[in-house]
Amino acid sequence: GYCNALVYQGRLKPKKPSAEHPAFPSMGFAHLSGESIKRGGSRCNPVEAQAIAAWIVQNVQKLHEAYGQDGKPLKDIIGVVTPFAAQSAEIIKALRDAGVEERIQVGTVHRFQGGEKDIIIFSPVYGGDDGVSSYFFDQGKNMLNVAVSRAKSSFLAFGDMRVFSRQSV
């Protein structure tokens, strides 16, 4: 429904009923205060990366119970999407440091095109106090559409929710 309203002006006709799993909301967020750090031509946000890794570690059993029927591995259940390659590397490092053995797919929005997971975690990277005048998703609706539409059941954003406000931050 979100993508249909954002990009398609209601022209999409859903073929399957909304399937919110009782374990996780269909859309949710964790508001985090953290600043992005410029790394080369990219950005990262260690606070978001560490929070995502901690959430995954805390929810491994719940994820397997909800979606791991028939021995489905964690890497086929969850994926992490971010607009920046530096954040992708930061999240992979945080997952490794947190003891997540399985290689969960972490990548930029463009890398995830065509791929789907039961749960998509989105890391926007920007902090509300970064002083950035324009965010990547202000430049077109396609990036958020791709990020949200990769989630089969649940889309969870981990970051400073002020960056999504229509008001200036």
Side-chain angles (χ1 to χ4, degrees):
Y2 174 83
C3 294
N4 204 7
L6 179 71
V7 177
Y8 302 104
Q9 294 77 43
R11 292 186 308 252
L12 292 179
K13 302 295 179 215
K15 297 292 184 185
K16 116 180 182 184
S18 178
E20 183 170 317
H21 197 282
F24 303 99
S26 58
M27 291 190 94
F29 69 91
H31 174 70
L32 305 170
S33 294
E35 295 178 23
S36 69
I37 300 166
K38 281 190 166 189
R39 197 166 281 161
S42 191
R43 288 182 176 269
C44 68
N45 186 321
V47 170
E48 287 180 19
Q50 291 164 7
I52 289 166
W55 185 88
I56 291 171
V57 167
Q58 290 170 352
N59 286 283
V60 166
Q61 184 173 343
K62 196 173 178 182
L63 289 162
H64 280 296
E65 288 169 1
Y67 302 104
Q69 314 82 325
D70 303 323
K72 189 176 188 180
L74 190 61
K75 69 182 183 68
D76 291 342
I77 296 170
I78 193 166
V80 185
V81 180
T82 181
F84 297 104
Q87 182 68 350
S88 184
E90 191 75 23
I91 293 167
I92 290 168
K93 180 185 178 309
L95 288 167
R96 194 176 315 118
D97 291 349
V100 177
E101 305 264 332
E102 240 182 288
R103 189 171 168 96
I104 294 172
Q105 186 178 0
V106 179
T108 62
V109 173
H110 298 295
R111 183 173 173 200
F112 261 83
Q113 278 193 309
E116 291 182 329
K117 303 289 181 186
D118 295 302
I119 294 180
I120 290 292
I121 293 178
F122 181 67
S123 174
V125 180
Y126 297 108
D129 297 324
D130 282 353
V132 176
S133 61
S134 177
Y135 302 115
F136 77 96
F137 45 80
D138 288 337
Q139 299 167 8
K141 298 174 182 175
N142 190 47
M143 284 205 191
L144 273 178
N145 179 52
V146 170
V148 172
S149 66
R150 300 307 92 202
K152 289 192 229 176
S153 297
S154 188
F155 177 84
L156 307 173
F158 280 66
D160 192 325
M161 295 299 108
R162 294 177 297 167
V163 304
F164 295 105
S165 172
R166 293 195 186 274
Q167 302 168 354
S168 64
V169 289

